[in-house]
Amino acid sequence: MKKILVIGAAGQIGTDLTLELRNRFGRDHVVASDIKLASDDIMQQGPFVKLDAMDSKQLQSIIDDYGITEIYHLAAILSGNAEKNPKWAWDLNMNSLFNVLDVSRSKGISKIFWPSSMGAFGPTTPEWDTPQVTVMEPTTVYGISKLAGERWVEYYHHKYGMDIRSLRYPGLISYKTEAGGGTTDYAVEIFYQAIKCGEYECFLSEDMALPMMFMDDAVEATIQLMEAPADQVKVRSSYNLGGISFTPKELADEIRKYIPNLEVTYKPDFRQEIAESWPRRISDEAAQKDWGWQPQYDLEKMTRVMIEKIREKLGK
Ligand code: NAD
Ligand code: SER
């Protein structure tokens, strides 16, 4: 029987992914873990354990205690926060991955999910319709850690026969948990500010197009990849995931269909430079071809759901 451990379950993706995994595989079959407490939903609905992803003894005993068979390892420092403390980000992003890989290998874990990011690309990568295999010269510590991680998960697969699966997520947009310190966080913050006060100061320039995805699509892609037969998973580094490409101005215009008086000012900070080093739009042809990936959300649909859910959440 499948028994899943989610590491980083209190985070932006971890919250939505844990709830959906429990929905599909049963509450008691999905153990949530994080270094901090998770949302009330997650804490009350099923098992939760405090875990530092760097601690191999703790990880081993959780695997034994709960009979864990699969791990989703989501703990990481995102791009914006990583640039503020590069060595700390490198340490956590790389050594937690090695910990999960090595403990999983010794415990015979059958499948592991570990996310990469569009941040693994760099300024020399083709910006539009970025292909699966291309130049990758990331200039952020976050991107360097993701590219190194991609090489290592492929290495563990080839060398030790481990079944590790990965996606290069674009910027993720969701309403259950706030975004965790990345360059794409503006696309979540703008909804809260629009609904709360009708004003937002954006830290990227108005014409900075980036690949983005609504969380329901990201969760669906993750579970679909993890449930695909092993012979369909041909990319053993990390699959491109495309999503929706838009600029802050295009997003603001879409939100104005619901909040016509929204005022947005643009004050690019250090994250503008990070964004400029990433693709504008990503091609996920390989994911479509290998395991049938098809996203469901465009800018219009995503905006409608975000406005509705955040209004509900804030009682506005
Ligand atoms: P997040 O910052 O919201 O969540 C990360 C979680 O990891 C947090 O709850 C944090 O408490 C936990 N954590 C940190 N250090 C830990 C440790 N030592 N032990 C255990 N838990 C620890 O991040 P997220 O947005 O949910 O991202 C999850 C993964 O997806 C990361 O690998 C990230 O790089 C990747 N990703 C995210 C996005 C995005 O837009 N959110 C895009 C591309 C890739
Ligand atoms: N959303 C993430 C970030 O901005 C991309 O990996 O860091």
Side-chain angles (χ1 to χ4, degrees):
M1 180 61 81
K2 192 196 282 291
K3 203 80 190 272
I4 296 169
L5 174 65
V6 180
I7 303 174
Q12 192 196 3
I13 304 173
T15 302
D16 282 80
L17 184 62
T18 302
L19 293 170
E20 186 54 26
L21 286 168
R22 283 182 176 165
N23 188 30
R24 293 198 197 187
F25 302 115
R27 294 172 176 205
D28 293 337
H29 292 267
V30 182
V31 180
S33 76
D34 202 291
I35 203 162
K36 64 180 187 194
L37 297 182
S39 69
D40 289 349
D41 276 5
I42 288 181
M43 303 291 295
Q44 286 156 15
Q45 195 194 52
F48 174 87
V49 275
K50 274 264 187 100
L51 167 67
D52 179 349
M54 307 281 263
D55 186 331
S56 61
K57 287 216 166 64
Q58 238 185 333
L59 180 57
Q60 287 175 40
S61 57
I62 291 168
I63 291 172
D64 290 341
D65 290 351
Y66 289 92
I68 298 297
T69 59
E70 293 182 16
I71 296 180
Y72 289 68
H73 172 39
L74 307 173
I77 307 300
L78 272 71
S79 61
N81 285 344
E83 287 311 298
K84 293 180 195 158
N85 196 337
K87 292 277 170 57
W88 168 63
W90 175 258
D91 187 34
L92 178 72
N93 292 4
M94 293 316 300
N95 288 326
S96 68
L97 175 60
F98 281 126
N99 189 32
V100 169
L101 292 176
D102 290 333
V103 170
S104 296
R105 186 174 164 226
S106 72
K107 293 284 176 191
I109 293 295
S110 69
K111 256 188 269 180
I112 299 166
F113 177 79
W114 167 83
S116 182
S117 161
M118 64 167 162
F121 297 114
T124 50
T125 299
E127 288 183 337
W128 290 96
D129 301 318
T130 306
Q132 176 65 42
V133 179
T134 186
V135 180
M136 297 177 83
E137 295 184 314
T139 48
T140 62
V141 66
Y142 177 70
I144 297 169
S145 73
K146 289 299 184 188
L147 180 56
E150 287 190 15
R151 303 324 307 154
W152 276 109
V153 297
E154 191 182 67
Y155 180 89
Y156 271 66
H157 170 72
H158 287 315
K159 186 95 179 171
Y160 306 122
M162 290 172 68
D163 191 352
I164 311 157
R165 304 178 182 201
S166 178
L167 293 168
R168 290 174 183 148
Y169 290 131
L172 300 181
I173 300 172
S174 66
Y175 56 87
K176 289 195 183 122
T177 309
E178 63 187 46
T183 301
T184 56
D185 292 16
Y186 90 84
V188 176
E189 291 170 6
I190 191 171
F191 284 99
Y192 282 91
Q193 290 306 109
I195 291 168
K196 280 184 193 163
C197 61
E199 285 175 18
Y200 181 62
E201 184 178 280
C202 182
F203 58 75
L204 297 183
S205 67
E206 64 176 1
D207 56 353
M208 186 65 254
L210 284 172
M212 301 278 187
M213 179 172 274
F214 187 54
M215 187 60 84
D216 288 17
D217 269 345
V219 165
E220 180 58 40
T222 306
I223 299 176
Q224 203 179 317
L225 172 65
M226 282 296 273
E227 292 301 304
D231 63 351
Q232 286 181 10
V233 184
K234 302 195 190 311
V235 174
R236 288 298 181 162
S237 52
S238 190
Y239 275 99
N240 275 8
L241 208 52
I244 326 161
S245 172
F246 57 78
T247 65
K249 184 175 181 311
E250 286 164 344
L251 178 57
D253 287 343
E254 192 60 35
I255 296 173
R256 283 196 190 95
K257 291 183 183 166
Y258 303 86
I259 304 166
N261 296 331
L262 170 64
E263 280 186 30
V264 182
T265 49
Y266 296 91
K267 200 172 167 198
D269 67 12
F270 71 101
R271 288 167 283 191
Q272 174 69 21
E273 197 182 327
I274 299 177
E276 281 170 10
S277 76
W278 291 352
R280 307 282 164 267
R281 189 175 58 214
I282 289 175
S283 161
D284 55 20
E285 229 175 283
Q288 293 178 34
K289 189 166 137 282
D290 291 356
W291 40 277
W293 170 239
Q294 274 305 325
Q296 299 300 316
Y297 285 81
D298 58 13
L299 178 59
E300 231 174 39
K301 188 172 171 193
M302 181 275 287
T303 304
R304 179 162 35 82
V305 177
M306 284 292 283
I307 296 276
E308 191 185 299
K309 295 293 183 183
I310 295 173
R311 274 184 171 153
E312 221 174 271
K313 189 173 168 180
L314 300 178
K316 295 251 180 188

